[in-house]
Amino acid sequence: MERTTATPATPTGALWFLRVAVLLHLAAILWEGATAGQLVTFNTEALPLHYYGAFGVHTAAALQVLAAVLYWRGSGLGPGPARTVLLVSLLAFGLGFPQATLGTYGPLQVHVPLALVLTGTAVWATVLAWRRN
C-alpha cells in the first residue's frame, strides 16, 4: 500500500503579486497616517506630502484589486478565499475615494474615522492574502 503525504500548495505568481500589492497599500496608508500626524501638529510643510500620498494610496489600492482579480481568476472564479480577498480589496479601493474627498472638501470629523475604517479594511485584505489556505 502506497503512503502519500500532503504537501502545502506553493503560492502562485498571482498570489505573490497580491501579497506585494497589499503590503504596498498598507505602506501608503502608513505614510498618510504619518503625514497626517504632522498636519495636526500644524506642520504645514507636510500638506503636499499628505496630498500626493493619497494618489499613492489610490494607485496601490488599484494594483491590489488587479492582483486580487488575477488571483481569483487563477483560483477558478468561484467562492472561497480568493473571492473574499477580491471583495475586501474592492471595498478598500472604494473607501479610499470618499475618504480622500472628505479630507479635501469635508469635515475632518468624518475624514479621520473613515481613514481608520480604510486602514482596518486594508489590514483585513493583508491578513487574507498572507494566511495559509
Side-chain angles (χ1 to χ4, degrees):
M1 186 170 200
E2 184 176 325
R3 184 174 178 180
T4 60
T5 58
T7 58
T10 304
T12 64
L15 180 55
W16 279 114
F17 179 34
L18 176 63
R19 288 175 172 178
V20 169
V22 295
L23 292 176
L24 287 172
H25 192 200
L26 276 179
I29 291 172
L30 179 62
W31 172 264
E32 286 298 271
T35 57
Q38 291 295 308
L39 292 173
V40 298
T41 62
F42 303 106
N43 178 1
T44 57
E45 292 177 6
L47 186 58
L49 299 173
H50 190 70
Y51 176 81
Y52 290 111
F55 293 101
V57 170
H58 299 314
T59 302
L63 189 66
Q64 178 178 319
V65 168
L66 173 63
V69 166
L70 294 173
Y71 178 53
W72 180 57
R73 288 185 57 170
S75 298
L77 300 175
R83 184 174 73 177
T84 303
V85 75
L86 171 60
L87 294 174
V88 174
S89 296
L90 286 167
L91 177 61
F93 181 71
L95 282 172
F97 291 98
Q99 196 276 331
T101 301
L102 287 167
T104 303
Y105 302 109
L108 290 180
Q109 294 85 347
V110 180
H111 174 71
V112 173
L114 195 52
L116 296 175
V117 173
L118 175 59
T119 303
T121 305
V123 168
W124 183 15
T126 303
V127 169
L128 291 172
W130 282 91
R131 75 177 183 182
R132 295 181 84 155
N133 292 330

